[in-house]
Amino acid sequence: LAFFLGRGLSQPIDRLLQATRAMRQGDFNVRIEDKRKDELGALIHIINDMAEDLKTKTSTEKTLSQFVSPMVANQLLRERGNPLNRGQYVKATVLFIDIVGFTALSENLPPDQIADLLNQYFSIINKASKLYNGTVDKYIGDGAMVVFGAPQEDSEHCFHALCCAQLFRQLVQQTTFIKGENIQFRIGLHTGEMIAGTMGSEDRMQYTVIGDSVNLAARLC
């Protein structure tokens, strides 16, 4: 009798330990199938609900990170109801990049080639900015705006922006975007004081930076 009672308690406890270890390692698909009506059953139900919630949170975070920078996405999820700050002065560097003659190029090429070109080009920008702690603020048509020093503080933001621009130049020189087309790019960057924060309407907000320093970087591009 003691053996069967002990096994009846130890097996679900062992499954609970296995489930929590799996969740700790990032596996949120684990579920405990035991159906019990005692305290262990209540604990199993809580563990299953926790795994489902963590799976949903991870999926949401991954999806959100495809539309905003991972750091901004994490902060938005962490500070629900009070996302980031509503505006503060920071000293940062802004980098603008766009394609020379993109309008004429898009009129003379099939849409699928233009889409492939933009996907390759934006992918290079994303890789270069990640390597140097930059945040892709937005894609504007054929242009991109990358911020260094906000929202993540970076004492070397100016140096990192220069390195990112140089790496981008090297990578595009090694890339064939469209055969027979000489694709050229413009780059403008500037360091200075700017306002950084979450801005927009109640229905739609975005973390960005604004100010004369940002405008000058855009004009240089």
Side-chain angles (χ1 to χ4, degrees):
L1 180 61
F3 171 76
F4 284 110
L5 285 173
R7 189 172 66 174
L9 287 172
S10 64
Q11 285 182 341
I13 290 173
D14 185 55
R15 282 190 280 271
L16 281 167
L17 287 172
Q18 290 176 4
T20 52
R21 287 195 192 103
M23 290 165 61
R24 188 176 183 182
Q25 293 171 1
D27 179 9
F28 304 126
N29 292 311
V30 63
R31 298 292 183 274
I32 305 170
E33 301 299 334
D34 294 44
K35 304 294 182 184
R36 303 174 63 102
K37 295 184 179 180
D38 55 7
E39 288 81 358
L40 281 174
L43 185 57
I44 287 169
H45 183 69
I46 291 170
I47 293 292
N48 286 339
D49 284 350
M50 187 185 300
E52 185 63 33
D53 289 344
L54 288 169
K55 182 180 178 181
T56 302
K57 180 181 180 295
T58 304
S59 177
T60 303
E61 187 175 324
K62 184 178 179 181
T63 302
L64 192 58
S65 297
Q66 292 177 320
F67 294 89
V68 298
S69 75
M71 183 177 178
V72 173
N74 291 335
Q75 204 160 347
L76 285 171
L77 290 170
R78 190 168 56 248
E79 301 180 11
R80 295 177 186 176
N82 186 29
L84 305 176
N85 57 72
R86 292 303 177 98
Q88 63 178 1
Y89 280 103
V90 297
K91 189 168 185 181
T93 302
V94 180
L95 169 67
F96 281 89
I97 304 173
D98 72 5
I99 301 174
V100 177
F102 179 75
T103 302
L105 192 68
S106 61
E107 290 172 350
N108 296 323
L109 292 172
D112 59 333
Q113 283 191 312
I114 294 297
D116 289 342
L117 162 64
L118 290 175
N119 288 335
Q120 281 183 283
Y121 156 59
F122 288 143
S123 179
I124 291 172
I125 292 174
N126 189 51
K127 288 176 182 176
S129 60
K130 268 186 179 180
L131 189 62
Y132 290 105
N133 302 323
T135 298
V136 177
D137 183 281
K138 59 176 70 72
Y139 297 124
I140 316 161
D142 63 306
M145 173 181 169
V146 188
V147 184
F148 298 82
Q152 181 180 0
E153 290 187 11
D154 181 4
S155 60
E156 299 291 337
H157 56 83
C158 183
F159 174 69
H160 286 155
L162 289 166
C163 290
C164 177
Q166 182 64 18
L167 177 59
F168 172 79
R169 291 179 68 244
Q170 292 174 350
L171 290 174
V172 295
Q173 286 169 6
Q174 299 169 12
T175 304
T176 301
F177 292 99
I178 299 173
K179 288 183 179 179
E181 295 288 342
N182 181 24
I183 310 296
Q184 295 183 320
F185 303 89
R186 285 187 291 246
I187 297 176
L189 61 88
H190 185 62
T191 298
E193 199 172 64
M194 58 195 72
I195 299 173
T198 307
M199 302 171 200
S201 66
E202 292 181 358
D203 297 329
R204 180 178 173 84
M205 305 195 78
Q206 179 184 13
Y207 182 87
T208 189
V209 292
I210 58 172
D212 288 342
S213 297
V214 181
N215 296 339
L216 180 53
R219 287 196 293 272
L220 288 170
C221 179

